[in-house]
Amino acid sequence: LNLPSIDKSIKSDAHLFIARSALKLKKRDLAKKSYKKVEDIARGERKAEALYYKAMFMNEAGNHKESNQTIQEITKNYSNYRKFSLQSLVLMADNFYRLDDTYQANYILENVVEKTDDFPEVQTEAQKLLQEIKSEAAKTNSSVETEKTDDGN
């Protein structure tokens, strides 16, 4: 992979494979390094994926404002890669929630839930986070309504 004659798309594919494998094996540092390499050389959907994981790693490290800046890059430049764009918005909502801006978090999540019928896993993730935020808010604000589940909880 270090040879200069290797095509950039081959390098980005290889680093993407390494990054995805590292995530599955719970080797976060290797995944971060590999996604950074993808970010540096890739374009299009590969770059959108690398940026999404960059934002996710920032979120996990508590760097919520920086994570949102990366997400803004995704939504501005890679919105045609809808799955990563929508996943990024869910991550942005989580960042806002952790920054104590529940209004923004709720607004983003409600819109994602409404517009993600074609990505049920993203819709489920958004619904779960929205319910978590509303449940937490209901503890201190009786005007917040949470959705009841089938078992009454």
Side-chain angles (χ1 to χ4, degrees), residues 1-4 6-16 41:
L1 290 176
N2 293 328
L3 297 174
I6 297 176
D7 186 75
K8 285 184 179 184
S9 66
I10 294 171
K11 284 183 182 183
S12 70
D13 283 348
H15 287 296
L16 198 57
I41 59 176

Side-chain angles (χ1 to χ4, degrees), residues 2-122:
N2 293 328
L3 297 174
S5 61
I6 297 176
D7 186 75
K8 285 184 179 184
S9 66
I10 294 171
K11 284 183 182 183
S12 70
D13 283 348
H15 287 296
L16 198 57
F17 181 76
I18 292 167
R20 289 173 181 167
S21 298
L23 276 180
K24 291 221 185 259
L25 296 171
K26 299 185 189 313
K27 295 183 177 186
R28 303 299 253 193
D29 289 337
L30 178 59
K32 285 180 195 178
K33 289 176 188 174
S34 296
Y35 273 123
K36 174 64 176 136
K37 289 178 181 178
V38 173
E39 178 188 349
D40 292 342
I41 59 176
R43 297 185 339 206
E45 189 172 15
R46 293 178 188 111
K47 177 107 176 195
E49 180 177 346
L51 288 171
Y52 169 76
Y53 282 102
K54 177 181 180 179
M56 185 189 78
F57 293 136
M58 288 176 182
N59 168 284
E60 290 173 351
N63 301 322
H64 305 294
K65 289 181 181 178
E66 294 85 353
S67 177
N68 277 349
Q69 290 171 345
T70 299
I71 292 166
Q72 287 172 349
E73 181 180 350
I74 295 168
T75 58
K76 178 182 176 190
N77 300 320
Y78 301 96
S79 61
N80 51 330
Y81 302 105
R82 194 159 149 72
K83 183 174 181 182
F84 289 111
S85 184
L86 291 168
Q87 285 178 311
S88 295
L89 289 173
V90 173
L91 186 58
M92 179 179 265
D94 183 65
N95 286 328
F96 278 124
Y97 176 52
R98 297 186 189 292
L99 291 167
D100 294 323
D101 190 344
T102 56
Y103 176 80
Q104 284 293 336
N106 279 319
Y107 180 79
I108 291 168
L109 291 169
E110 286 171 357
N111 280 295
V112 169
V113 167
E114 186 178 306
K115 298 174 182 173
T116 56
D117 291 338
D118 48 342
F119 294 102
E121 66 280 1
V122 176

